[in-house]
Amino acid sequence: MKQIFTYTLALALVLSLVASEASAQQFSKRKQYNSVGVSLNAMNYFGDITPKPSIPSLRFGATRPNIGVNFTHRFTPRISARAALAYGRITGDDSKAADKNDSEAKYRYNRNMSFRNDLAELSVVGIFDLIPNRNTYIKRPDLVPYVFAGVAAYTGNPKGLVGANNVGLSEGSYVALQALKTEGVSYNKGGIALPFGGGVRYKVNKSFDIGLEVGFRKTFNDYLDDVSTNYVASRNDLGSDAAKYFGWDITRNEPGTWNRDNQSGYQRGKSNEDDWYVTTGITVNYILAPKVKSPKFR
């Protein structure tokens, strides 16, 4: 699966470079134009708190909204660049995602983890249209499939749901987990991601396009859900504020002590997979008509 994503990304970049060189001389400034848009998406993630700890596995019940705004500039008949700002939530819950009857998934059901993470993202991508527009924006094709790839910066903070029998915290509230060092390590709340995907754009009229798009984000972070490797071996490995959050046996949210034999140092996540997130949704773009200067006659 990783190889397929890598090849797709590499192919999109190569095609963009080739098309740019071939089309640069055919597309005048008069035909270039800008657009602004808004998007409403469904957001999911691939990670440790899913039915299977692998990229294709997600739980549709964990889908949450994502909204965004964007600015796009068309350079050539096939090539555009888009800058976008988006905000959305990813979630996961072992009690709903893990199958207690699956021998491989039983440890994830027993750990009973849940989280949510509100992610803000700034991205810049190149868009390659599979159908070129060699005319002005008014005569653009009615239906255009496209692919895109680029780079993004994101930030967020995973939060855990407080259960019953906790000390000093109200049940049902959420606690930020990054500072607690739940696995005895420090990690960044944000980072760099590689966005890529594809979509189709439909011309509603001369000024508006509406599109359907699917975008994947490859991160280099296994802690979007605060789960990666093993439980800490000792309470002393936790952050100073973790005692309130971990006032019970974290494997089942029951009263108990921290250093239990069935928990200390044991597997908590699958450490060889970075987390991903994905958006699927609708985008509406408004084209900013370019100002055409009239020739001056003398």
Side-chain angles (χ1 to χ4, degrees):
M1 184 62 68
K2 284 185 176 180
Q3 290 181 342
I4 294 176
F5 287 138
T6 302
Y7 293 156
T8 301
L9 178 60
L11 179 61
L13 293 174
V14 171
L15 290 175
S16 296
L17 291 174
V18 173
S20 180
E21 288 295 326
S23 304
Q25 302 302 320
Q26 305 175 28
F27 212 62
S28 66
K29 287 284 187 180
R30 187 175 63 87
K31 295 180 180 179
Q32 297 180 20
Y33 58 87
N34 301 319
S35 63
V36 294
V38 295
S39 61
L40 177 62
N41 305 295
M43 192 172 186
N44 262 290
Y45 105 110
F46 307 130
D48 291 284
I49 308 180
T50 52
K52 298 288 183 180
S54 59
I55 292 174
S57 178
L58 59 82
R59 189 176 72 87
F60 289 103
T63 303
R64 295 295 183 269
N66 171 285
I67 57 174
V69 294
N70 66 75
F71 176 85
T72 304
H73 177 74
R74 174 164 294 279
F75 289 98
T76 75
R78 290 185 186 267
I79 303 298
S80 301
R82 181 179 70 196
L85 182 64
Y87 182 82
R89 172 175 292 178
I90 56 175
T91 68
D93 190 335
D94 277 336
S95 67
K96 299 175 181 178
D99 183 0
K100 64 180 178 180
N101 298 317
D102 183 345
S103 59
E104 294 185 0
K106 190 173 181 179
Y107 86 90
R108 292 187 291 114
Y109 178 81
N110 288 336
R111 75 186 173 189
N112 197 27
M113 298 296 297
S114 65
F115 87 102
R116 73 182 188 190
N117 195 344
D118 297 327
L119 298 175
E121 178 195 87
L122 176 63
S123 64
V124 178
V125 302
I127 300 173
F128 178 77
D129 287 350
L130 302 183
I131 298 176
N133 172 27
R134 304 187 186 281
N135 297 303
T136 63
Y137 76 97
I138 296 177
K139 297 181 179 180
R140 67 191 185 280
D142 290 334
L143 192 67
V144 179
Y146 62 90
V147 294
F148 67 89
V151 64
Y154 69 92
T155 185
N157 191 0
K159 296 181 179 180
L161 181 63
V162 174
N165 303 309
N166 207 340
V167 179
L169 294 172
S170 59
E171 181 179 355
S173 61
Y174 280 84
V175 176
L177 299 176
Q178 187 260 2
L180 303 187
K181 299 182 180 179
T182 55
E183 295 185 3
V185 299
S186 298
Y187 60 85
N188 293 323
K189 292 185 289 185
I192 299 297
L194 299 179
F196 61 95
V200 61
R201 190 170 58 247
Y202 175 71
K203 176 184 175 183
V204 178
N205 54 40
K206 71 174 185 178
S207 298
F208 282 95
D209 286 338
I210 186 170
L212 177 65
E213 182 176 292
V214 178
F216 297 88
R217 270 68 170 175
K218 164 69 174 78
T219 75
F220 303 93
N221 182 357
D222 195 20
Y223 282 99
L224 292 184
D225 49 18
D226 192 63
V227 177
S228 179
T229 55
N230 299 323
Y231 291 104
V232 296
S234 168
R235 181 191 289 265
N236 295 330
D237 295 326
L238 294 169
S240 59
D241 293 330
K244 291 182 178 180
Y245 182 64
F246 292 127
W248 67 94
D249 175 3
I250 65 173
T251 61
R252 294 302 304 167
N253 287 4
E254 297 170 351
T257 59
W258 175 257
N259 293 313
R260 291 181 57 164
D261 293 336
N262 67 344
Q263 149 186 332
S264 300
Y266 275 50
Q267 183 179 8
R268 187 166 183 256
K270 188 175 181 181
S271 60
N272 62 344
E273 295 284 349
D274 289 328
D275 296 333
W276 295 56
Y277 56 99
V278 56
T279 58
T280 304
I282 296 174
T283 300
V284 177
N285 290 317
Y286 174 73
I287 296 174
L288 304 173
K291 295 181 179 180
V292 180
K293 295 182 178 180
S294 301
K296 295 181 179 180
F297 297 95
R298 297 181 179 179

